[in-house]
Amino acid sequence: MSTLVFLEHHGDELLKSSLGVLSKAASLGDDVAGVVIGLNVRGLADEAGKYGAAKVYVADDAQLEAPLPQPRVDVLAQLVRDQSIPTVLFANSVLSADVAAGLAARLDAGLNWDLVDIVQEDGKLVGKRPALQDTVYVDVGWTSEPRLALFRSGSFDPSETGGSAEVEDLQVSLEAFSTGARMVDQAHEESSGPSIEDAEVIVAGGRGLGGPENFTLVEELAKALGGAVGATRAVVDAGWYPYSTQVGQTGKTVAPKLYIACGISGAIQHKVGMQSSGVIVAINKDPNAPIFEFADLGVVGDVHNVVPKLTELVKARKS
Ligand SMILES: Cc1cc2nc3c(=O)[nH]c(=O)nc-3n(C[C@H](O)[C@H](O)[C@H](O)COP(=O)(O)OP(=O)(O)OC[C@H]3O[C@@H](n4cnc5c(N)ncnc54)[C@H](O)[C@@H]3O)c2cc1C
């Protein structure tokens, strides 16, 4: 296998961002394998086959139940060494970033992080990494193998090809120092509706909403459209909305079919996180707001008037 993709799962689902990286790796024409690590995860291997993995390695062991990085580094390090795998790819998350960094240290390998794309150029892999506040893209490479890469979440859409993967079980043998940490507690955020990474519609709110209590406007519109709520860093920093919903350079990269920006100026750091959306609609009272430069549809108006009317219209259309 020439490329291995770390397939992260939550519960009994592989993460969309991991499947996106898998699809991208398969599109480069290499032999691609996935690796699933956890407890009772064997069933996830079939899913990976549908997204381009020719082979899926499965490390299924009670010691791997908690989502801790070091045991995963042990599994990956052994696999990469045994199979002489030259390239290992990760979709960014708190866990994946920890695992990728640990694996780079363990294998003395180069890790290019925060990539948004990867291409073959003259037979070599070249990573694309945004720089200077995401205003330019830098080509990055590796000087040795294995090459490790960590991609921004949401960089690639998973594409189902309908294949099936050969499954190989791995013997799990952990280093003594990797079993020192114990997961004491795991809390899941209560939420209804889709997450912003998976949503086909995102209604995002900015400082133009005027206060945290007015987030109900975007929540109601999101609910009517079956979508998720996003936010700008300005409102997250102000404590109006949780960090998990922040879209942008230091938040999440999203690419829904429809992105409705309510009271958002369109700063470059916000734009880089949502510019790949299918249709961008902006509602802003300032006709000169930068967001109108890249919105597909713009409404110059007050969010307090426009958003509730839009919600009413959507509800009326649906009933
Ligand atoms: C290193 C760095 C990283 C950053 N990362 C991120 C990031 O990940 N995500 C992010 O979003 N930002 C990020 N930022 C911050 C970014 O530069 C902007 O400050 C932020 O996006 C602005 O948020 P906003 O649009 O909500 O607020 P503002 O820029 O204050 O815009 C509010 C908008 O609302 C409009 N408005 C006001 N009242 C109304 C009304 N009643 N009806 C309609 N419109 C109204 C105004 O005309 C204005 O355009 C980062 C900045 C830095 C320096």
Side-chain angles (χ1 to χ4, degrees):
M1 284 296 152
S2 50
T3 304
L4 180 71
V5 179
F6 175 67
L7 298 171
E8 189 174 341
H9 67 283
H10 285 180
D12 53 6
E13 269 183 31
L14 293 173
L15 294 199
K16 188 180 161 197
S17 53
S18 293
L19 291 174
V21 171
L22 181 62
S23 298
K24 177 66 193 186
S27 76
L28 293 173
D30 292 335
D31 291 339
V32 180
V35 56
V36 190
I37 303 175
L39 178 64
N40 299 329
V41 289
R42 210 165 188 284
L44 297 173
D46 293 340
E47 188 67 7
K50 293 185 201 151
Y51 291 88
K55 186 166 200 168
V56 178
Y57 296 100
V58 177
D60 200 319
D61 193 291
Q63 299 177 94
L64 299 167
E65 182 176 15
L68 292 168
Q70 282 306 320
R72 283 159 174 75
V73 172
D74 291 349
V75 171
L76 286 172
Q78 194 183 338
L79 176 60
V80 171
R81 282 194 193 115
D82 288 353
Q83 303 290 329
S84 304
I85 294 170
T87 308
V88 189
L89 308 180
F90 299 82
N92 192 27
S93 71
V94 173
L95 177 66
S96 288
D98 262 357
V99 175
L103 187 64
R106 188 80 67 85
L107 299 178
D108 197 18
L111 167 63
N112 274 310
W113 58 279
D114 201 28
L115 301 187
V116 292
D117 201 4
I118 190 163
V119 294
Q120 289 269 15
E121 274 175 21
D122 302 325
K124 281 189 178 170
L125 282 176
V126 177
K128 306 282 175 183
R129 183 177 187 280
L132 300 176
Q133 300 203 352
D134 288 2
T135 52
V136 294
Y137 289 96
V138 178
D139 285 355
V140 292
W142 294 260
T143 53
S144 61
E145 291 180 357
R147 298 171 277 254
L148 310 189
L150 182 69
F151 292 91
R152 268 191 200 180
S153 177
S155 293
F156 310 112
D157 276 334
S159 111
E160 209 173 319
T161 50
S164 64
E166 179 195 338
V167 178
E168 185 174 326
D169 291 308
L170 297 173
Q171 289 296 325
V172 176
S173 153
L174 303 184
E175 304 284 352
F177 57 78
S178 296
T179 55
R182 195 165 53 87
M183 175 76 68
V184 178
D185 194 14
Q186 231 180 321
H188 290 282
E189 196 181 0
E190 293 297 324
S191 65
S192 57
S195 69
I196 65 166
E197 288 98 334
D198 296 330
E200 297 205 330
V201 177
I202 293 177
V203 184
R207 200 146 44 183
L209 286 171
E213 65 284 359
N214 295 329
F215 255 88
T216 49
L217 296 178
V218 289
E219 284 168 351
E220 277 164 23
L221 180 55
K223 194 172 165 201
L225 290 164
V229 175
T232 64
R233 176 164 164 176
V235 304
V236 168
D237 283 352
W240 293 6
Y241 226 63
Y243 171 68
S244 57
T245 60
Q246 184 184 314
V247 173
Q249 185 188 332
T250 42
K252 289 181 177 147
T253 304
V254 295
K257 286 187 180 156
L258 173 64
Y259 190 93
I260 305 181
C262 308
I264 292 178
S265 59
I268 178 75
Q269 297 88 359
H270 187 77
K271 181 184 173 191
V272 295
M274 43 68 84
Q275 61 192 350
S276 306
S277 306
V279 174
I280 298 172
V281 178
I283 304 165
N284 195 304
K285 69 176 183 185
D286 176 5
N288 296 315
I291 196 146
F292 289 130
E293 289 165 23
F294 56 92
D296 299 290
L297 289 166
V299 181
V300 179
D302 192 315
V303 283
H304 302 99
N305 301 327
V306 179
V307 178
K309 283 196 183 128
L310 193 52
T311 307
E312 255 173 53
L313 282 172
V314 173
K315 282 185 182 164
R317 189 64 84 81
K318 283 189 150 182
S319 61

